[in-house]
Amino acid sequence: MKGLCILGATGSIGVSTLDVVARHPDQYRVVALTANHNIDGLFEQCLTHHPEYVVVAAEEKAEAFKDKLADSPVSDINVLTGAEALQQVATLDQVDSVMAAIVGAAGLLPTLAAAKAGKTILLANKEALVMSGDIFMRAVKESGAHLLPIDSEHNAIFQCMPGGYETGHKAKQARRILLTASGGPFRETPVEELHDVTPEQAVAHPKWDMGRKISVDSATMMNKGLELIEACLLFNMSPDDIQVVIHKQSIIHSMVDYVDGSVLAQMGNPDMRTPIAYAMAWPDRFDSGVEPLNIFDVKQMDFEEPNLERFPCLRLAYEAIKAGGIMPTVLNAANEIAVDAFLNERVRFTDIAVIIERTMAHFTPDSADSLDIVLHADRQARIEAQRVIEGLLS
Ligand code: NAD
Ligand code: MG
């Protein structure tokens, strides 16, 4: 029986994880659940899964949550609050696996703490890895933690790697990764119409049901940019050996091209419970609840090269990983600020790339070999991105 901590339990990935957990009560026990604001969702999860610990990260919501719990059948749950408590529950002795499913930089410190404590990390929170890069990968190596990708593409690549493969290593026989992308909702929208896109249009993804931030990232293709950087780190590959492929049906979730000419693909219905179940059962497999793929319904699969003029965010991600040092941290921070401003209707959809590019231009790729340097670069990039936004608004 493995003990599980879910960081970001109330989000899209968190909910899918609990759906998988409920199918395997003999294999997983929920030790800790965390959420930010959504205390109603968290309370319902507590009634079903009865964890030992809960963290309400937003301190102003903690009292209301405790009141709900007090008169409930699960009043014995330990309630903690604040960002530090996330690290505490991610490193508890009774936790074996940590699902890192907080969105954005807020997930870095608890996920890194879990890595340092040698836990098995089920990594959905790609921003945490992108911003801390080698520091994160080193922490995993030094503690002997297992790092298993949840992002569907990286999970697919991991499944296509040679037997016994562990992330962080280079598989010498693999010469190229083909990283698939759906292309998002604006794959065919005329470029001149993109600046009128509203947040509602941007978050309505054609193939995947996800949180708002990653949905906007999918629409700009910054999601693929972050995933490119994620793939370089997880699979120890150069960005030149990773080809982004637009595959609008989202049936193939990525491919590995081997030196002998074999190309291995992982396929399935687009449902995050497949990669979640794979990582949870690894190195075995178990039921995820996902409908079997009906290959006759697929009929056709298309593959296109992405257009970097339509998707400048993808170009910026290539530039950031090639420049190295703190640039991926800066890219990620500027993107988080820009997406937030777009979702709050302060800037236009097409301003997102402008804000990131202007923010990046303000920085040089200094080496990122300590956590302090990374956290400082993250803070400075957020300040600079806000300054760029004020400039656009004036
Ligand atoms: P979401 O917005 O649905 O959920 C985010 C979760 O993080 C919530 O539980 C929320 O309470 C928590 N959270 C947010 N801010 C927080 C903070 N400051 N402190 C503590 N907790 C906080 O997001 P999601 O779609 O589930 O995505 C989660 C992560 O997984 C993201 O990094 C995303 O890129 C990645 N991911 C998601 C999908 C998907 O299909 N949804 C696929 C691949 C990767
Ligand atoms: Mg993905």
Side-chain angles (χ1 to χ4, degrees):
M1 186 73 122
K2 289 182 190 160
L4 179 67
C5 164
I6 306 182
L7 301 170
T10 51
S12 159
I13 293 288
V15 168
S16 294
T17 303
L18 286 171
D19 182 285
V20 174
V21 167
R23 294 165 198 277
H24 302 284
D26 54 324
Q27 297 202 41
Y28 275 93
R29 179 170 69 91
V30 178
V31 175
L33 297 176
T34 85
N36 198 24
H37 288 115
N38 181 0
I39 56 170
D40 294 338
L42 185 62
F43 180 65
E44 290 301 316
Q45 294 180 337
C46 286
L47 292 176
T48 311
H49 297 279
H50 202 163
E52 274 174 62
Y53 288 86
V54 148
V55 178
V56 179
E59 300 190 22
E60 69 278 14
K61 295 277 183 177
E63 281 314 307
F65 184 78
K66 284 181 188 162
D67 289 346
K68 271 167 136 2
L69 217 56
D71 307 321
S72 80
V74 290
S75 56
D76 58 336
I77 295 175
N78 299 298
V79 182
L80 308 175
T81 182
E84 299 255 313
L86 297 169
Q87 298 181 49
Q88 192 181 330
V89 295
T91 55
L92 288 167
D93 282 345
Q94 59 273 48
V95 165
D96 302 290
S97 300
V98 175
M99 169 57 78
I102 289 176
V103 58
L108 173 61
L109 294 179
T111 309
L112 190 58
K116 286 183 177 159
K119 305 298 185 191
T120 294
I121 315 285
L122 315 177
L123 184 76
N125 180 201
K126 64 194 90 184
E127 298 92 342
L129 179 61
V130 167
M131 68 187 286
S132 64
D134 293 336
I135 294 169
F136 193 92
M137 296 308 292
R138 216 178 302 139
V140 168
K141 215 171 239 175
E142 284 172 7
S143 71
H146 294 294
L147 176 59
L148 305 174
I150 295 297
D151 219 336
S152 57
E153 297 77 4
H154 305 73
N155 190 275
I157 295 161
F158 184 63
Q159 292 196 40
C160 294
M161 283 294 185
Y165 176 81
E166 291 257 4
T167 50
H169 297 272
K170 174 137 179 68
K172 288 197 190 65
Q173 319 89 313
R175 67 182 161 196
R176 229 165 34 123
I177 284 173
L178 301 171
L179 184 68
T180 58
S182 69
F186 310 127
R187 190 171 44 81
E188 288 173 337
T189 308
V191 175
E192 60 280 9
E193 289 176 20
L194 288 178
H195 77 288
D196 290 328
V197 160
T198 65
E200 284 59 43
Q201 290 169 323
V203 300
H205 195 277
K207 292 285 173 194
W208 296 95
D209 182 14
M210 309 179 287
R212 282 164 71 79
K213 190 263 178 182
I214 182 176
S215 297
V216 175
D217 286 347
S218 299
T220 61
M221 280 194 83
M222 179 53 92
N223 184 50
K224 213 48 53 182
L226 298 174
E227 289 184 358
L228 166 83
I229 299 172
E230 183 184 13
C232 291
L233 292 159
L234 287 175
F235 306 114
N236 203 347
M237 298 277 274
S238 142
D240 293 329
D241 297 329
I242 301 176
Q243 172 66 56
V244 174
V245 180
I246 296 190
H247 165 49
K248 65 182 177 195
Q249 290 87 1
S250 297
I251 294 296
I252 291 181
H253 302 304
S254 280
M255 298 170 254
V256 177
D257 178 3
Y258 282 93
V259 289
D260 61 2
S262 301
V263 177
L264 302 196
Q266 185 263 359
M267 301 196 283
N269 285 316
D271 185 322
M272 287 306 294
R273 290 176 302 172
T274 295
I276 290 168
Y278 181 76
M280 287 179 67
W282 178 84
D284 201 352
R285 290 185 188 262
F286 60 30
D287 171 42
S288 65
V290 175
E291 284 289 303
L293 176 68
N294 184 338
I295 201 83
F296 301 112
D297 284 347
V298 177
K299 292 193 177 73
Q300 188 178 335
M301 290 203 272
D302 296 291
F303 305 100
E304 294 167 38
E305 239 181 285
N307 172 346
L308 297 187
E309 265 168 56
R310 174 183 291 277
F311 297 115
C313 286
L314 183 56
R315 168 177 58 79
L316 293 170
Y318 269 104
E319 288 172 16
I321 184 71
K322 287 186 174 179
I326 60 169
M327 294 316 281
T329 312
V330 170
L331 172 95
N332 177 66
N335 181 56
E336 287 191 28
I337 295 295
V339 170
D340 190 62
F342 168 67
L343 285 171
N344 288 306
E345 298 184 49
R346 293 183 69 214
V347 301
R348 288 179 177 274
F349 182 73
T350 42
D351 289 335
I352 295 173
V354 174
I355 295 162
I356 300 164
E357 185 151 29
R358 290 188 190 167
T359 302
M360 284 170 66
H362 192 78
F363 289 83
T364 47
D366 304 336
S367 75
D369 39 32
S370 80
L371 187 59
D372 283 346
I373 293 174
V374 163
L375 295 176
H376 181 73
D378 176 74
R379 275 194 303 274
Q380 293 304 115
R382 283 165 199 269
I383 292 168
E384 182 58 24
Q386 290 290 7
R387 218 181 51 79
V388 173
I389 292 172
E390 298 311 325
L392 287 174
L393 295 177
S394 64

